[in-house]
Amino acid sequence: MQKVFSSRRDFLRTAGLGIAYTMVPQFLTCSKSIRKEKLPNIIIIFCDDLGYGDLGIYGHPTIKTPNLDRMALEGQKWTNFYVAASVCTPSRAGILTGRLPIRSGMCSSKRRVLFPDSAGGLPESEITLAEVLKTKGYKTACIGKWHLGHLPRYLPTKNGFDYYFGIPYSNDMDDVSKLPWKQKFWNPKTEYWNVPLMQNEKVIERPAEQTSLTKRYTDETIKFIKNNKNNPFFIYLAHTMPHVPLFASKNFQNRSLRGLYGDVVEEIDWNVGRILRTLNDLKLSSNTLVIFTSDNGPWWLTYKELGGSAGLLRGGKGSTWEGGMREPAIFWWPGHIKKGTITDIGSTMDIFTTICKLTGAKIPDDRIIDGVDLRPVLFGTGPSPRKTIFYYRGTKLYAVRKGSYKAHFFTEPGYGKNRKVKKHNPPLLFNLEQDPSERFDISKEHPEIIADILETCLLYTSPSPRDLSTSRMPSSA
C-alpha cells in the first residue's frame, strides 16, 4: 500500500530521516570505484529549442561544437532520447518531477505554456529533483530559464533550490516593442522584451541584457561549483538560448557559418567547455555527472533560419512527430560511464529516477513516477528498462512508441495558422529503427502491432488533468 503524503513538506521530513541510516549510496552496486563517502555532484544542462541535428556530434555540417563533441566521445551519446512534451512548460515539469505533465496538471490544450499573465505554476504537492536531493544534503541551484510559474510561491526557491539566477519565463515574452513580427525577431534588441532577470526572489535587471545571458549563467554556475566544491551539489542550468529572439555575446557574433543561430549554439558549446574545465581544475570531474539535453525540438517551421534543425527527424517544436520530442542527449562522468553511442530508449523523466538511485535518495511512493532507472545503460550492465514513449500534445495523447514502432492516433502541425488536427483510423504506423523520418506508413501491413500498442494504451491510465490555463492574472497586474 502506498503511503500518501499530505504535503511536500511531509515527504521531505520523512525522507530526511533516511540520511542518518543510508549513508552508502545505491550507485556503489554499479560503480565500485566511487569512494563510499562521496555522493556524486549532478549538473543538468538544459537548452531551449535545440534541435536533434544542431550539434556537430549529431551531424550538423556547419555548427562547430568541439566541447560537446568531446563530452559525447568521453561519455555517452544517446540517439533515442525523448522529452516529456514538445513545448517548454510541460517539458520542464517532466524533467524536474520525473512525471508526465498530465499528472501534475502542467499542460494545456488551450495555452500550451505559462505566460506572464498566468496565475498558476508547479503545484505545491509536486516533488522536484532538487527537493529530493536536499534530503541527502545537497546544495542546489537553478540557473537560467524557469517557466514553471513566475509568482513568488512558484519560484525555484520554493521548489527545493537554495539559489536562483535567471529569467522566470521565455525570453520572447513581455513584448513591449509594438513592432512587426519579422522586424523584431530578425533584428532583435534587448529593449524589445521587458523580461526580468532575477536573483532568488528579487528582480535585479529589467529588461534582462540578453546578449550576455549565456555567459552570465555559466559564470553563476562556475561560482556555485567553486563555493560548494566540498559539498555534494546539484545544478540545473537551463539556458535561455537558442529560443528566439536569438542573442549572442560580442565575441560570438558573426562567427558561425550557420549565421546567428550557429553563433548562439557555438557560444553555448564554449560555455559548456568552461564548466568541464572548472570541474577538471578542481578535481571534481570523476565525481560529477553532467547531462546535456534540450526541452523540445527546434522552432524552424515558424522562424525559418532563426530556428534549428531536427536533422533527419520529421517536424519540430510543438508537434508530436519525432522532431518535436526526440533530443540530443549526452551523459558525461569520467571513469564511471561506459563510453559509446546508445540506441536504447530514454527520457528526461528517467533522469529523476536515475539520480535518485545513484544518490540513494528516496523516490516518492505516494504517486506514479514515470521515470525509470537508466543505471544499467550508463554503467554497461544491461539494457534500458524503458520501452514506451507517450507523446502528448497538451492534455491529449497523440502518439505512442513501443519498442521500434510508433503509432500516431492524431497528427497536427506544431504551429501555424489554420492548422488542423487529423485523426487516423487506423493509426499511422512507423518503424523508427528503419524509418526515423516517419515517411513510410506500414499500418496496413502490421495490424497486430497496432493492436499491441492500443492494448498498451488501455493498460496505461492517468488522472484527469488540472489545466494550467484555467486561471489567469489580470493583464494589468
Side-chain angles (χ1 to χ4, degrees), residues 130-199:
E131 289 171 313
V132 171
L133 290 178
K134 288 290 290 179
T135 69
K136 300 299 293 182
Y138 276 74
K139 299 296 183 182
T140 58
C142 173
I143 297 169
K145 175 179 169 178
W146 176 237
H147 216 172
L148 290 173
H150 70 286
L151 297 178
R153 64 184 178 274
Y154 299 122
L155 289 173
T157 49
K158 294 296 194 293
N159 284 281
F161 290 100
D162 298 316
Y163 180 68
Y164 172 50
F165 180 92
I167 64 174
Y169 36 74
S170 292
N171 62 327
D172 64 337
M173 295 180 178
D174 282 331
D175 182 358
V176 294
S177 68
K178 298 182 180 179
L179 293 171
W181 170 76
K182 189 159 188 176
Q183 181 179 342
K184 64 189 174 189
F185 282 105
W186 267 257
N187 296 285
K189 295 181 180 179
T190 288
E191 57 266 28
Y192 292 168
W193 295 273
N194 196 35
V195 180
L197 178 66
M198 303 185 70
Q199 188 169 43

Side-chain angles (χ1 to χ4, degrees), residues 15-29 34-40 134-138 232 356-362:
L17 294 174
I19 295 177
Y21 303 103
T22 56
M23 295 300 293
V24 181
Q26 295 180 29
F27 65 76
L28 291 173
T29 61
I34 303 170
R35 286 164 36 188
K36 292 185 178 181
E37 69 272 17
K38 278 266 194 180
L39 288 166
K134 288 290 290 179
T135 69
K136 300 299 293 182
Y138 276 74
C356 286
K357 292 291 187 179
L358 282 171
T359 61
K362 178 179 174 62

Side-chain angles (χ1 to χ4, degrees), residues 27 34 51 58 80 98 104 114 126 129 145 170 232-233 258 262 283 300 308 328 405 412 460 465 471:
F27 65 76
I34 303 170
Y58 281 82
N80 284 279
S104 63
L114 290 168
E126 290 300 308
L129 181 56
K145 175 179 169 178
S170 292
F233 59 79
R258 175 56 177 81
K283 296 181 172 29
W300 63 267
Y405 295 94
E412 182 180 357
Y460 167 77
S471 57

Side-chain angles (χ1 to χ4, degrees), residues 307-430:
S309 168
L312 80 170
L313 304 180
R314 183 172 178 177
K317 177 177 179 173
S319 79
T320 50
W321 296 106
E322 289 296 285
M325 291 181 59
R326 197 194 298 199
E327 284 296 311
I330 300 170
F331 289 72
W332 183 86
W333 191 2
H336 302 292
I337 285 179
K338 184 177 181 180
K339 301 177 185 179
T341 297
I342 306 301
T343 58
D344 291 32
I345 301 173
S347 165
T348 52
M349 294 180 292
D350 302 336
I351 292 172
F352 182 97
T353 301
T354 303
I355 290 176
C356 286
K357 292 291 187 179
L358 282 171
T359 61
K362 178 179 174 62
I363 298 174
D365 59 5
D366 65 329
R367 64 199 64 203
I368 295 173
I369 299 295
D370 295 293
V372 301
D373 183 6
L374 298 179
R375 287 181 302 164
V377 188
L378 296 182
F379 300 129
T381 61
S384 170
R386 176 169 291 284
K387 307 303 178 187
T388 307
I389 294 290
F390 293 95
Y391 302 72
Y392 275 89
R393 183 185 177 111
T395 59
K396 191 171 184 177
L397 184 63
Y398 270 46
V400 174
R401 176 177 182 175
K402 185 175 182 181
S404 303
Y405 295 94
K406 178 180 177 183
H408 288 267
F409 312 115
F410 304 92
T411 55
E412 182 180 357
Y415 291 90
K417 296 180 180 179
N418 303 317
R419 63 180 187 272
K420 295 181 180 180
V421 181
K422 290 185 179 180
K423 183 177 180 179
H424 302 283
N425 187 16
L428 303 178
L429 184 69
F430 300 98

